[in-house]
Amino acid sequence: MSTMLTSTPTARTLILGVGSPLMGDDAVGVLVAEALQARSDLPPGVDVIDGGTEGFGLIPVIEAYSRVIIVDAAQVGLPPGSIRRFTWGDIRVTANEHSLSLHQGGLNDALALAEVLGCLPAELIFYGVQPEQVAWDAPLSEAVSRALPALIEGVLGELNGIAAG
């Protein structure tokens, strides 16, 4: 984690970018978080956090929010750079059968535990981006780099009540 994980008590929406900036396309969630943290036009009540590669450590962070939007590299079975939007219901079903996030040992398990503990946010949205290359010290692929603007716009659309497909 490169950013301290804290929440603002008045914020209702959390945008949580997860991943490792040292692992090629796995950096996509962190890059989205950094891009949104640099903006000054986010609506009030929105926090943006770089969740790094935390798993269970994210539970106390997400439980403070009513809506959480997670952005991460994910095996979505589409060409590299493709973006898929999931709800918690979609992830919960998929997580039992396949790995969704590249942090399956952490993020998926953490969300499942948060649900069991009753601290899962009321609304959980997941933006997964199909990686092309995830390797130590690899650069961001061209496909995922090209997807970044659309991904950021999709997340911003969520804040304005416009869900991307």
Side-chain angles (χ1 to χ4, degrees):
M1 258 176 311
S2 61
T3 302
M4 185 169 61
L5 295 179
T6 59
S7 61
T8 305
T10 57
R12 296 185 28 100
T13 298
L14 170 65
I15 300 170
L16 181 64
V18 294
S20 171
L22 302 176
M23 297 291 291
D25 292 342
D26 191 37
V28 68
V30 172
L31 293 173
V32 168
E34 289 174 356
L36 293 176
Q37 287 170 335
R39 295 180 70 114
S40 60
D41 61 343
L42 294 179
V46 175
D47 284 342
V48 180
I49 296 176
D50 168 2
T53 56
E54 275 293 319
F56 293 113
L58 294 175
I59 293 173
V61 175
I62 65 172
E63 73 177 330
Y65 296 89
S66 60
R67 179 168 65 158
V68 175
I69 302 167
I70 297 174
V71 182
D72 195 6
Q75 299 295 343
V76 297
L78 296 171
S82 297
I83 302 166
R84 289 278 317 267
R85 178 188 181 274
F86 301 93
T87 64
W88 171 238
D90 300 326
I91 294 170
R92 183 177 44 219
V93 170
T94 302
N96 291 332
E97 299 175 13
H98 307 287
S99 71
L100 178 66
S101 169
L102 298 177
H103 311 283
Q104 65 171 341
L107 183 59
N108 291 352
D109 292 341
L111 294 175
L113 179 60
E115 183 177 41
V116 169
L117 295 174
C119 55
L120 198 65
E123 185 179 7
L124 181 63
I125 299 163
F126 187 94
Y127 276 82
V129 180
Q130 178 67 49
E132 181 173 342
Q133 56 189 10
V134 176
W136 181 254
D137 218 16
L140 195 69
S141 72
E142 184 64 32
V144 172
S145 181
R146 281 193 312 266
L148 274 172
L151 181 58
I152 291 167
E153 287 305 312
V155 172
L156 290 172
E158 291 286 345
L159 300 177
N160 297 316
I162 303 166

